[in-house]
Amino acid sequence: FEIYGAPIIGNHDEWNGILLVFHDITDLKKLEQMRKDFVANVSHELKTPITSIKGFSETLLDGAMNDQDTLKSFLTIILNESDRLQTLIKDLLDLSKIEQQGFKLNLQLFDLTNMMEEVMAILSSKAEDKKVSLSFSSDKNIEMEGDHFRLKQVFINLINNAIMYTPPEGSIHVGISDLGSKLKVEIADTGIGIEQEEIPRIFERFYRVDKARSRNSGGTGLGLAIVKHLIEAHKGYISVKSKKNEGTVFSVILYKEFPENKNS
Ligand code: ADP
């Protein structure tokens, strides 16, 4: 609480009491804390690869580069850490753009089934490399109105996560169902699963159940925050069902016709 006080003084300068105003600043404080956490997280995530890049470069310059094997292995680390920095900056800029007040979707009519086939083609070699089977089924060719580029980004993110968090020999199925005025996309994996109490947190920026695993797989912890924003910008809805060590199902519900264009 923030408290303001002022004396209540009568006509003859006598004290009649004190006026106290209690101002509930819980929400403000929460917002301020979230902002501080975000800045701290960003700084930490940026500093880690930079420290590593500097450290390995300095060691090389101090003489370690005379050994060919060391040179190669250190340069590989430097390249990987630069890649991580690049992905992080791209995700951060993207999130800040999406979160801005004036952010506009680029709406168009397109065939979602065709789009998902493109997504499957993009990710199939990654799934193959990891020995995870990737399958797809769709009710029929479903037309929808939405931002093609952004929704493609959403599904690439979700399926990429499914591949990342499913061990070899596991499987992923993507299904599109027609619900009349809406449609549903389900991404089901037989992966590591998520503990029930962690589920509400995974959409938070930088929240990762296992930081080391996420980092090693190239994750930034921003993917699901971006996904949720984009689905909500489409007036859609995302939900998760998961069982630890059994698998996870992400369900996305979207309108076929963008709701703002409806007269109702
Ligand atoms: P990251 O870049 O770490 O994958 P995300 O925002 O995409 O970040 O996801 C947040 C966290 O949610 C992940 O670090 C992981 O712990 C968990 N997660 C996301 N998708 C899955 C999945 N399909 N199976 C298990 N855990 C998942």
Side-chain angles (χ1 to χ4, degrees):
F1 283 100
E2 235 171 39
I3 306 169
Y4 302 97
I8 304 169
I9 297 174
N11 288 341
H12 306 289
D13 280 350
E14 80 280 17
W15 276 59
N16 286 337
I18 279 188
L19 178 71
L20 289 177
V21 179
F22 291 83
H23 187 198
D24 184 353
I25 53 166
T26 321
D27 282 348
L28 267 176
K29 277 261 183 267
K30 250 189 219 158
L31 219 66
E32 177 60 11
Q33 191 54 46
M34 272 170 68
R35 195 193 61 78
K36 278 187 184 157
D37 288 349
F38 181 65
V39 172
N41 273 324
V42 171
S43 317
H44 175 78
E45 296 289 333
L46 290 173
K47 264 188 203 157
T48 318
I50 289 173
T51 308
S52 170
I53 291 170
K54 278 190 71 176
F56 282 101
S57 312
E58 276 163 10
T59 316
L60 283 179
L61 287 172
D62 282 348
M65 67 178 171
N66 296 331
D67 178 71
Q68 279 298 309
D69 289 344
T70 313
L71 179 63
K72 202 168 170 194
S73 101
F74 283 15
L75 283 178
T76 308
I77 296 173
I78 292 171
L79 185 61
N80 288 341
E81 292 297 298
S82 313
D83 280 345
R84 138 170 306 285
L85 215 48
Q86 194 175 36
T87 313
L88 184 66
I89 290 168
K90 190 182 124 293
D91 277 1
L92 272 172
L93 290 176
D94 209 25
L95 187 64
S96 99
K97 187 174 166 188
I98 294 166
E99 281 183 339
Q100 249 162 38
Q101 282 283 311
F103 173 69
K104 284 227 157 41
L105 292 172
N106 187 6
L107 295 178
Q108 62 188 104
L109 259 182
F110 64 90
D111 186 319
L112 183 67
T113 315
N114 284 349
M115 186 194 83
M116 204 60 85
E117 271 159 6
E118 289 170 29
V119 173
M120 291 291 139
I122 293 169
L123 293 173
S124 66
S125 63
K126 187 167 181 181
E128 243 169 68
D129 288 349
K130 214 180 155 195
K131 298 198 167 40
V132 168
S133 82
L134 182 58
S135 59
F136 170 52
S137 66
S138 177
D139 259 355
K140 58 177 174 348
N141 277 50
I142 296 179
E143 278 242 316
M144 73 164 288
E145 186 182 17
D147 189 321
H148 185 276
F149 173 79
R150 291 300 185 179
L151 288 176
K152 195 166 169 181
Q153 182 184 12
V154 161
F155 295 118
I156 288 178
N157 248 312
L158 290 174
I159 300 166
N160 197 34
N161 273 351
I163 300 172
M164 233 157 57
Y165 300 106
T166 300
E169 314 307 331
S171 62
I172 296 160
H173 183 76
V174 181
I176 306 181
S177 351
D178 195 336
L179 306 179
S181 62
K182 294 177 190 168
L183 58 90
K184 180 164 81 174
V185 180
E186 272 191 342
I187 296 117
D189 67 54
T190 60
I192 60 170
I194 309 162
E195 214 77 75
Q196 225 44 42
E197 57 269 27
E198 308 265 16
I199 290 181
R201 304 211 57 193
I202 58 172
F203 294 99
E204 288 173 20
R205 301 180 289 194
F206 291 117
Y207 189 80
R208 290 173 290 194
V209 177
D210 180 345
K211 266 198 191 302
R213 183 195 281 258
S214 157
R215 195 169 277 135
N216 289 339
S217 328
T220 60
L222 293 174
L224 286 181
I226 294 174
V227 162
K228 189 160 191 268
H229 258 288
L230 289 175
I231 291 172
E232 285 172 357
H234 279 85
K235 321 274 183 217
Y237 182 73
I238 181 162
S239 60
V240 192
K241 280 208 183 84
S242 188
K243 224 169 180 186
K244 193 81 189 146
N245 299 321
E246 283 188 22
T248 306
V249 183
F250 279 89
S251 305
V252 178
I253 306 268
L254 290 165
Y255 282 97
K256 283 190 198 161
E257 193 182 331
F258 197 74
E260 263 176 18
N261 293 355
K262 280 186 184 156
N263 297 325
S264 60

